[in-house]
Amino acid sequence: MTKKIVIIFLALFILIKAPVFAAPSKNSIEVFIDDKKVISDVMPFIYKDTTMVPLRVISENLGVKVNYESVSKKITLSFKNNTIILKVNELYAYVGGKKAKLQIPPMIISNRVFVPLRFIAENFEAKVIWDGQNRIVRIYKKNNEIKNIYWDENEGVLNIEAENPVEYSIQEKENSIILDLTAKVKENQNFYVYNGKFLKDAQLSFTDMGTRLILEKKEGFMYEYFVKDGVLKLKFFTIIDELEYAKSTESSKFTIKVPANTEFKYFTLGSVNSNDYRLVLDLYNSRPAFNIPRIDGDNFVRSIRSSQFSINPDITRIVFDIKREFNFLVEKEEEGLIVEFRSNAKLLDVSIENKEGKTQIIFGLDKTTAYSINEDVLRNTLVIEMDKTNLIYGGKTLDFTFSNGMKGNVIFEEDVNNNKLVARIYKGDYGLHHNVLTLDNKIIIEFSSLSLFGKTIVIDPGHGGSDPGAVYQGVYEKDINLDIALRLKKVLEDNGAKVLMTRESDIYVNLYARAGMANEINADLFVSIHCNSSLNPQTSGVQTLYFPTMEKKRFAEVIQKSMVEALGITDLGIVERTALVVIRETNMPSCIIEVAFMSNPKDLSLLMDPNFRQKAAEGIFKGILRFLLY
């Protein structure tokens, strides 16, 4: 009797359970994640209004890290900064350390672990939609967003920071790197790179999948990519794979093959007396892959060694162990970076030349040598120290007259202890400005008077901040304007002018405030720098705008003439404008300079060239000089 009861009970149990596990066709469903169907070797199913899916579906399709302990039947799910802990057949789970009740617990069927889909997806910030008519569960992962894209020009690193870890793919085409990101860029994100040390250009665009970056790298640079602290990084560097060595009785020359714009610094350590005197050369954004040349019978260098001195940033360090304090030279040439050790230089001749309002003091040596220049303000003296240089020139003192008629002199001293030759140039309190030139084996100190001394000039870089001005091919007018303005500021200050900028960074300044700044300090001149644009892309050239007064018109004429001479582009002349605030409201001579047309492809390429922007700054300066002095 007992056997019959047991058999009947088992039969009833099988009948009750059969629709859930033995016949999944009635309860089976489809799962779509971000509208892509999930393919699984075991079908998901519904049990008591709860969708149950194999644990593998969670790990492979939601990007969740899964850890299952078969003995304790403990399941740990990790995604981003959140963790869910469940146990098979237990109704309680822990989400981020907090206890939560499940409608249906995890279960094991045919040695496969099934877990409740909605509970896990929603706790990992996904949206779950049930399509009852088609028996489909649709899950939409939370959209990722790129918070910040920024380029570190010093380190050569592109940084991409997203709300969550971003999926990406990289492909190369010639010198271009195409980076596709499955995340959208945050609104108002500004990404602007052109013609730097590592990249020629960078473009940002949007795709159906998210964001695309196209980076055009310069010749000679490699790159690598990795994720650090949640930030995707593309790092650019050069491989130094060749170091040439040539020696003679007079010199030892090392040629390091690196790109022309490789940055470096060098210094000496140790001393000859302690037998550890050495020249240390650091090459930035580089990695060594060259063979160390054998040093044998060299008159200057005992040995050479190299290492990867630093990874962040990448620095290659080359150390030259030197036999004694020789004259050495480190400079860039067409074939690479040159390090040359030579016997002491000799100062053979010193001459004075006065022409075009300038005075040149020319130190003639038999070979180039390292030197430094410092100004002794209290003594009105310029001090030149020439390393490893002997005095052959006959005199100890040289008297001369500056081009402005004032007297000066040069006094020479040999610093035997430090193996240096010191030249002290007395320049008096004449308001003289100096430039240093090197030509062949000559060091040239050029003096000129500060022709703009006492003049106050306001420079107004157009647009800024929330107002980008014209935008073409990812280039913002406000950035071009500011770059030219900063270059002009330096030239003006080098010639004695006092300069006020209406902005020196990417900020917005009210137009009336700009004019007000100039009026408040009673400036001598006001110059506003802009770039032009037109609906006709063929329109090209430079133009100057003025408010109709005699003085402002004359200023515009002088500036326009100087700009045409400096830039060599089409002369569009001066144009009278009565509604423009900054030239209408200023009390002093003022003008707006439209340097070139961003809407014209040729003009835009010129504006993106730093050499052209420097010419523009110098053209404006020459116009200011002509207007104030003649």
Side-chain angles (χ1 to χ4, degrees):
M1 181 66 180
T2 304
K3 267 185 185 178
K4 290 181 180 177
I5 292 171
V6 171
I7 291 168
I8 292 169
F9 177 78
L10 286 171
L12 288 171
F13 180 81
I14 291 168
L15 287 171
I16 292 168
K17 295 294 183 180
V20 180
F21 305 127
S25 59
K26 294 181 180 179
N27 295 308
S28 63
I29 57 170
E30 291 181 313
V31 177
F32 284 74
I33 297 178
D34 290 336
D35 294 325
K36 183 179 179 181
K37 185 177 179 179
V38 174
I39 306 299
S40 174
D41 58 336
V42 180
M43 292 295 292
F45 62 88
I46 294 178
Y47 178 58
K48 293 186 179 180
D49 296 327
T50 298
T51 300
M52 306 296 288
V53 296
L55 192 56
R56 185 176 177 183
V57 169
I58 296 296
S59 64
E60 292 184 353
N61 295 279
L62 281 179
V64 175
K65 184 179 179 181
V66 176
N67 182 46
Y68 176 62
E69 299 175 12
S70 59
V71 177
S72 63
K73 295 182 172 53
K74 178 182 174 183
I75 306 163
T76 304
L77 307 173
S78 302
F79 183 66
K80 302 174 187 174
N81 297 317
N82 196 8
T83 300
I84 300 175
I85 298 175
L86 313 97
K87 274 192 174 183
V88 172
N89 296 328
E90 288 195 11
L91 275 172
Y92 286 94
Y94 289 88
V95 181
K98 295 182 180 180
K99 194 173 183 180
K101 188 175 181 180
L102 300 166
Q103 185 176 349
I104 299 297
M107 58 180 67
I108 297 176
I109 302 172
S110 301
N111 294 323
R112 297 293 294 274
V113 178
F114 284 75
V115 291
L117 178 59
R118 180 182 290 272
F119 178 82
I120 293 169
E122 290 183 344
N123 276 291
F124 283 147
E125 300 180 347
K127 184 178 181 181
V128 181
I129 299 174
W130 167 242
D131 180 355
Q133 183 177 355
N134 298 305
R135 298 187 64 75
I136 294 175
V137 177
R138 299 187 184 275
I139 297 175
Y140 295 95
K141 292 183 282 189
K142 183 180 179 181
N143 288 335
N144 200 0
E145 188 175 60
I146 297 173
K147 294 192 297 184
N148 196 9
I149 300 178
Y150 57 100
W151 169 251
D152 187 334
E153 177 69 10
N154 290 326
E155 302 293 338
V157 178
L158 174 66
N159 300 271
I160 300 171
E161 185 179 2
E163 297 284 352
N164 304 304
V166 64
E167 296 179 3
Y168 60 91
S169 65
I170 294 179
Q171 54 182 313
E172 291 186 49
K173 185 177 181 181
E174 296 177 348
N175 276 334
S176 293
I177 302 163
I178 302 171
L179 173 61
D180 287 310
L181 307 161
T182 57
K184 294 290 186 181
V185 175
K186 200 169 186 177
E187 288 185 10
N188 301 323
Q189 174 68 238
N190 187 11
F191 178 65
Y192 181 57
V193 178
Y194 68 89
N195 204 25
K197 290 187 294 185
F198 307 90
L199 299 178
K200 289 183 180 179
D201 191 17
Q203 298 177 14
L204 183 149
S205 60
F206 303 103
T207 66
D208 293 338
M209 298 299 293
T211 304
R212 167 169 285 189
L213 282 169
I214 300 178
L215 311 174
E216 186 181 353
K217 64 185 180 69
K218 289 194 169 180
E219 291 287 346
F221 286 101
M222 312 285 288
Y223 73 96
E224 64 181 6
Y225 54 92
F226 54 90
V227 177
K228 183 179 180 182
D229 299 328
V231 179
L232 174 61
K233 295 175 177 282
L234 266 73
K235 185 177 185 180
F236 292 81
F237 56 91
T238 187
I239 297 292
I240 305 175
D241 56 9
E242 190 174 355
L243 188 153
E244 295 180 351
Y245 167 51
K247 68 176 181 178
S248 69
T249 56
E250 292 295 322
S251 69
S252 294
K253 182 178 179 180
F254 299 86
T255 305
I256 305 163
K257 302 295 186 178
V258 292
N261 55 355
T262 300
E263 291 188 356
F264 65 93
K265 74 173 183 179
Y266 59 91
F267 52 92
T268 58
L269 293 173
S271 69
V272 174
N273 294 334
S274 59
N275 204 35
D276 64 350
Y277 187 57
R278 56 201 185 274
L279 171 68
V280 180
L281 173 65
D282 286 340
L283 297 108
Y284 291 87
N285 307 111
S286 70
R287 299 179 183 179
F290 55 86
N291 295 321
I292 300 292
R294 181 180 176 182
I295 306 297
D296 187 18
D298 192 294
N299 291 338
F300 303 91
V301 179
R302 181 181 295 107
S303 63
I304 179 174
R305 44 204 161 91
S306 71
S307 66
Q308 184 74 52
F309 179 70
S310 171
I311 296 297
N312 287 309
D314 284 315
I315 298 177
T316 296
R317 172 162 287 184
I318 304 176
V319 180
F320 301 87
D321 294 307
I322 309 171
K323 292 184 176 181
R324 55 190 175 88
E325 280 198 86
F326 292 109
N327 182 23
F328 64 84
L329 175 70
V330 182
E331 66 179 5
K332 290 179 182 176
E333 291 187 4
E334 188 174 343
E335 63 265 36
L337 183 63
I338 305 298
V339 180
E340 189 170 4
F341 299 90
R342 295 182 273 187
S343 55
N344 274 11
K346 298 178 179 65
L347 179 62
L348 305 175
D349 181 56
V350 182
S351 60
I352 308 294
E353 290 187 7
N354 285 317
K355 57 182 179 181
E356 296 180 0
K358 296 179 180 180
T359 299
Q360 288 187 343
I361 303 177
I362 304 166
F363 298 90
L365 301 113
D366 68 330
K367 64 188 71 173
T368 53
T369 187
Y371 64 90
S372 63
I373 297 181
N374 296 290
E375 192 160 4
D376 186 340
V377 178
L378 293 177
R379 294 178 176 84
N380 294 315
T381 301
L382 205 62
V383 181
I384 301 99
E385 293 186 349
M386 290 170 261
D387 292 348
K388 288 82 179 175
T389 302
N390 298 330
L391 180 64
I392 304 299
Y393 172 70
K396 293 286 185 177
T397 303
L398 173 64
D399 297 317
F400 65 92
T401 302
F402 286 104
S403 60
N404 61 5
M406 301 300 171
K407 301 296 182 181
N409 61 47
V410 185
I411 299 175
F412 299 97
E413 301 171 6
E414 287 190 274
D415 185 349
V416 178
N417 292 330
N418 293 309
N419 200 12
K420 292 182 178 181
L421 175 64
V422 180
R424 302 181 186 276
I425 303 175
Y426 175 72
K427 60 189 185 69
D429 187 17
Y430 309 142
L432 292 173
H433 173 68
H434 72 272
N435 285 314
V436 181
L437 312 170
T438 55
L439 179 65
D440 298 328
N441 296 329
K442 297 175 182 178
I443 301 172
I444 303 171
I445 315 297
E446 183 177 81
F447 292 92
S448 58
S449 62
L450 294 178
S451 49
L452 295 179
F453 185 81
K455 301 296 183 181
T456 301
I457 298 168
V458 175
I459 305 174
D460 173 40
H463 307 287
S466 59
D467 176 15
V471 180
Y472 287 87
Q473 298 183 24
V475 179
Y476 290 72
E477 181 193 349
K478 63 179 181 178
D479 296 324
I480 300 291
N481 298 343
L482 181 58
D483 183 89
I484 296 172
L486 290 171
R487 292 170 186 270
L488 175 60
K489 177 177 185 287
K490 183 180 186 310
V491 177
L492 289 171
E493 288 179 338
D494 285 347
N495 283 270
K498 180 180 178 181
V499 178
L500 174 68
M501 301 276 289
T502 60
R503 67 179 182 96
E504 292 189 71
S505 61
D506 188 18
I507 60 172
Y508 177 76
V509 181
N510 178 272
L511 297 177
Y512 286 90
R514 298 179 193 228
M517 291 180 196
N519 293 336
E520 186 174 350
I521 65 171
N522 195 27
D524 295 286
L525 295 175
F526 179 97
V527 177
S528 187
I529 298 172
H530 285 254
C531 298
N532 224 329
S533 66
S534 171
L535 294 175
N536 181 1
Q538 301 301 316
T539 305
S540 167
V542 59
Q543 189 175 63
T544 305
L545 314 180
Y546 70 97
F547 184 79
T549 70
M550 287 183 63
E551 197 72 347
K552 291 182 178 182
K553 182 178 181 180
R554 187 173 76 85
F555 183 40
E557 288 172 340
V558 174
I559 290 291
Q560 178 68 16
K561 181 180 178 181
S562 294
M563 289 294 283
V564 171
E565 291 173 356
L567 300 180
I569 59 177
T570 303
D571 181 3
L572 297 179
I574 64 171
V575 178
E576 178 184 309
R577 298 291 292 273
T578 58
L580 300 178
V581 172
V582 294
I583 53 175
R584 185 189 67 205
E585 298 299 321
T586 42
N587 298 331
M588 69 292 303
S590 59
C591 67
I592 294 175
I593 303 162
E594 300 280 6
V595 178
F597 279 76
M598 295 183 68
S599 51
N600 178 276
K602 184 177 179 181
D603 277 16
L604 181 59
S605 66
L606 289 173
L607 289 166
M608 292 170 66
D609 183 353
N611 294 322
F612 180 85
R613 298 196 299 274
Q614 183 64 30
K615 288 181 180 178
E618 291 172 359
I620 299 169
F621 162 72
K622 289 176 182 176
I624 290 172
L625 203 60
R626 287 172 178 172
F627 181 79
L628 291 175
L629 299 183
Y630 303 104

